[in-house]
Amino acid sequence: QLRRAIEECKRVILALPEHSERQKDAVVRLIHLRLKLQELKDPAEDEPNIRVVLEHRFYKEKSKSVKQMCDKCSTIIWGLIQTWYTCTGCYYRCHSKCLPLVSRPCVRAQVSHQAEYQLSICPESGLDSQDYRCAECRAPISLRGGPSEARQCDYTGLYYCSSCHWNDLAVVPARAIHNWDFEPRKVSRCSMRYLALMVSRPVLKLKEINPLLFNYVEELVEIR
């Protein structure tokens, strides 16, 4: 029945005047019908409430919010008709169907095992050292733009694809320590989550890393 409704909706769209309000409404209806068909193909209700993948502990969400984005496929999670999961450690969110494709280990586990910062400013090594592939998902990327645009993370210096790097902004610790620069820079999704989880951890021994900074920043002198 859904497939017949989708075909009928496609015929209606083609028959209606171009760019008319009725055609736009029909396109929205077509999208919802296709999402409903995809949801019926997914074994949503039979899935367990907890899934463990790459040290993530994914819990099946009950929220019907439609404002979430899938961290794996970078598309909207339609909570009303799609099943989705959230990692309780790093808040990685993804569709149920994207769970088997997750390639990023849990950042919370990384913080627990090795709580330290990269202290070199944007330590770039070049795309050739990555074999012209995304540092996370290994998808082919290039500097020519387009769907495979390479985006550099200012924290790691590595290049990522647009699915793993959403141009999120974050303060980079190395720039703050060496230059007292708190201007937010573009970082990958993985780096953004790592920095967010690390922000309250007292791991920077500033007097050892950059003692000269105390001569130039009045607030640091007062704290010392």
Side-chain angles (χ1 to χ4, degrees), residues 114-180:
Q114 187 180 8
E116 59 183 21
Y117 285 119
Q118 163 63 254
L119 296 181
S120 298
I121 296 177
C122 196
E124 181 180 7
S125 55
L127 262 178
D128 56 337
S129 67
Q130 299 179 203
D131 295 325
Y132 293 89
R133 292 182 177 275
C134 172
E136 183 176 315
C137 70
R138 306 305 295 165
I141 53 176
S142 72
L143 292 172
R144 296 183 178 180
S148 60
E149 174 194 13
R151 297 178 178 178
Q152 188 178 31
C153 171
D154 197 82
Y155 174 67
T156 64
L158 299 174
Y159 289 88
Y160 298 81
C161 67
S162 56
S163 294
C164 300
H165 191 319
W166 297 3
N167 288 327
D168 295 302
L169 297 174
V171 174
V172 178
R175 293 186 181 276
I177 290 167
H178 297 298
N179 298 340
W180 206 242

Side-chain angles (χ1 to χ4, degrees), residues 18-149:
E18 194 78 12
H19 304 303
S20 66
E21 289 301 317
R22 288 182 61 196
Q23 189 189 55
K24 290 177 184 177
D25 291 341
V27 168
V28 171
R29 174 167 169 73
L30 176 62
I31 291 170
H32 282 282
L33 287 170
R34 283 178 168 167
L35 285 170
K36 186 62 180 175
L37 180 63
Q38 182 62 48
E39 181 66 13
L40 289 177
K41 292 178 181 178
D42 293 338
E45 295 305 320
D46 298 331
E47 292 185 354
N49 289 327
I50 303 174
R51 300 280 292 274
V52 179
V53 181
L54 296 177
E55 296 192 81
H56 293 281
R57 284 186 63 81
F58 285 109
Y59 277 76
K60 186 160 67 173
E61 289 285 358
K62 297 180 180 179
S63 170
K64 298 301 181 182
S65 169
V66 297
K67 296 181 180 179
Q68 306 293 346
M69 294 289 288
C70 176
D71 276 298
K72 181 57 189 176
C73 66
S74 306
T75 59
I76 294 176
I77 296 172
W78 296 90
L80 289 170
I81 57 175
Q82 290 180 314
T83 305
W84 57 291
Y85 285 79
T86 299
C87 172
T88 56
C90 66
Y91 308 108
Y92 187 105
R93 299 182 182 91
C94 67
H95 296 101
S96 169
K97 61 184 178 182
C98 293
L99 266 181
L101 306 175
V102 172
S103 57
R104 182 194 308 164
C106 181
V107 178
R108 171 71 72 178
Q110 184 183 353
V111 169
S112 300
H113 302 331
Q114 187 180 8
E116 59 183 21
Y117 285 119
Q118 163 63 254
L119 296 181
S120 298
I121 296 177
C122 196
E124 181 180 7
S125 55
L127 262 178
D128 56 337
S129 67
Q130 299 179 203
D131 295 325
Y132 293 89
R133 292 182 177 275
C134 172
E136 183 176 315
C137 70
R138 306 305 295 165
I141 53 176
S142 72
L143 292 172
R144 296 183 178 180
S148 60
E149 174 194 13

